[in-house]
Amino acid sequence: MGGINAVQRTSTYLEKVEEKDPEINSFIEINPKAIKEAKQVDEGKRKGRLAGLVVGVKSNINVKGLRATCASKTLENYISPYDATVIERVKAEGGVIIGMTNMDEFACGSSGETSYFGETNNPAALGRIPGGSSSGSAAAVAAGFCDVALGSDTGGSIRNPSSHCGVVGLKPTYGLVPRYGLIDLAMSLDQIGPISRDVYTLALMLEVIAGYNPKEATTLKVSKKEYSKHLNSDISGYKIGVAKEFEKVTDPRIMKIIKKSLKVLESRGAEIKEIFLPNLEKGLPTYYLCVFVEFFSATRKFDGRRYGYRIEEVCGKEVLRRILLGKYISQKEYSGKYYKRALQFRSLIKEELLKALEGVDVIVGPTVPKLPHKLGTEIEDPLVMYGYDLLTVPANLAGIPAGVIKSGEVGGVPVGLQIQAKPLDEQKILNVMFALENS
Ligand code: GLN
């Protein structure tokens, strides 16, 4: 970012946040030291690949001195005593953290409406949900309040709001990006990833946060990659898998837009191949059973003695539902009936996706099967809300990477294209996105 004045850049963003965020509600807290940190960049005291880039951070990632509330009353006064590994890396490369973004409470949601700090509006389609759970991160990027944001994705929380807000987002391969310092939703599925307005910045942020962390057993020991340097929009010869099953579950208006993007990819020399994902719809119940059990376990530390309040006493409806269901399913006498079965299906879904990916470079399709609803719509049935996640959860269950880029609009509402690939094939996803961006 050579030559760009970081203080100027940061203050421009801060002014914009002050003026426009009351309507969007994408930030929970602004970093009071943002200008000071930007100054250090201008003085050459902080250098690196992100020098001067302004970064928003989802409120479930620890940034020392700022609050990591998970948008819950449970942690409303919890100030992070340390930096998550991804934050250490962002700071070491000169990134300027502007603040903590709004989200669904404890990342449980697909709409951005369950935050204790109020719902977030969609800057790309005002009056509609921005999607979730990284609602504030996607909305802040879409509204032009920062250059790039970090989100977390357990079952689609980076990709779903990226799709609804018309920005680019990527959920990395499980284990590529350290989770140390991320407050868990379901730790066998959670991944931190970037959201941005352009593919280059997305690739740059990914290469900064990715890589082995000796503090954690689940990070992969793979060599560092320079995704931004290797961006290549020449995708001729790429084999692109498309499943009939996508069409069966997706709003035809969304499919129409997605098909246009497929034509664009074909015109750039990619070859479309049909693939089969007969178990696609089993992903949703499998995912939610896994999440309930893992989330129940993860929340036992919020007992009111160590951090904030006892979660069950102050949390919202959805979080409570998950805790109670997780508790029920975890009982010894039920484990075989629900959880073990869910794990069996999880293996099946993973096998199916990896097998489909053997014959192609990427799988391309819609991100969310339906359009984002209008804010204020009462959705009583949780299954209706869970339905938003149908197409995103398989990637988490399989641990594969998946990115989203805007494909088009339906009546002014953005629609995102989802690109999934084999483990550690992030570069291919980014290249397909780059090709679309440059079409
Ligand atoms: N919407 C999904 C859920 O509610 C995904 C959440 C996420 O990825 N954090 O669990």
Side-chain angles (χ1 to χ4, degrees), residues 89-157:
R89 292 178 180 176
V90 164
K91 287 183 174 173
E93 292 288 348
V96 175
I97 290 166
I98 186 170
M100 306 302 291
T101 57
N102 209 349
M103 57 186 278
D104 280 295
E105 185 178 19
F106 281 102
C108 296
S110 322
S111 70
E113 294 169 300
T114 70
S115 166
Y116 172 61
F117 299 96
E119 65 199 18
T120 298
N121 205 332
N122 184 337
L126 286 171
R128 287 191 187 257
I129 55 159
S133 66
S134 309
S135 43
S137 291
V141 168
F145 296 156
C146 55
D147 293 300
V148 55
L150 293 176
S152 68
D153 191 310
T154 309
S157 280

Side-chain angles (χ1 to χ4, degrees), residues 353-373:
L353 257 175
L354 291 178
K355 187 135 202 308
L357 278 162
E358 269 172 23
V360 295
D361 294 288
V362 289
I363 296 175
V364 169
T367 310
V368 188
K370 43 188 184 174
L371 293 169
H373 60 261

Side-chain angles (χ1 to χ4, degrees), residues 21-200:
D21 204 39
E23 186 187 10
I24 305 296
N25 198 24
S26 64
F27 281 99
I28 292 177
E29 186 180 16
I30 292 297
N31 179 8
K33 296 196 182 128
I35 293 287
K36 198 173 140 202
E37 288 168 17
K39 204 162 164 220
Q40 291 167 344
V41 174
D42 288 337
E43 288 168 355
K45 290 182 191 145
R46 296 177 65 223
K47 300 190 183 97
R49 284 174 284 178
L50 301 182
L53 270 200
V54 175
V55 185
V57 180
K58 188 174 182 178
S59 292
N60 57 355
I61 301 173
N62 280 279
V63 178
K64 194 175 175 183
L66 296 182
R67 288 186 304 163
T69 61
C70 289
S72 179
K73 183 172 171 60
T74 317
L75 296 172
E76 73 176 320
N77 299 315
Y78 175 69
I79 296 177
S80 304
Y82 70 104
D83 280 330
T85 306
V86 291
I87 299 301
E88 282 174 359
R89 292 178 180 176
V90 164
K91 287 183 174 173
E93 292 288 348
V96 175
I97 290 166
I98 186 170
M100 306 302 291
T101 57
N102 209 349
M103 57 186 278
D104 280 295
E105 185 178 19
F106 281 102
C108 296
S110 322
S111 70
E113 294 169 300
T114 70
S115 166
Y116 172 61
F117 299 96
E119 65 199 18
T120 298
N121 205 332
N122 184 337
L126 286 171
R128 287 191 187 257
I129 55 159
S133 66
S134 309
S135 43
S137 291
V141 168
F145 296 156
C146 55
D147 293 300
V148 55
L150 293 176
S152 68
D153 191 310
T154 309
S157 280
I158 288 175
R159 290 163 285 156
N160 166 308
S162 297
S163 175
H164 292 330
C165 294
V167 294
V168 286
L170 193 140
K171 178 207 94 74
T173 303
Y174 186 78
L176 178 66
V177 174
R179 284 183 300 110
Y180 183 76
L182 168 71
I183 301 170
D184 310 318
L185 167 53
M187 63 175 172
S188 76
L189 300 157
D190 299 337
Q191 270 294 282
I192 296 173
I195 300 176
S196 179
R197 283 184 296 275
D198 64 277
V199 179
Y200 178 82

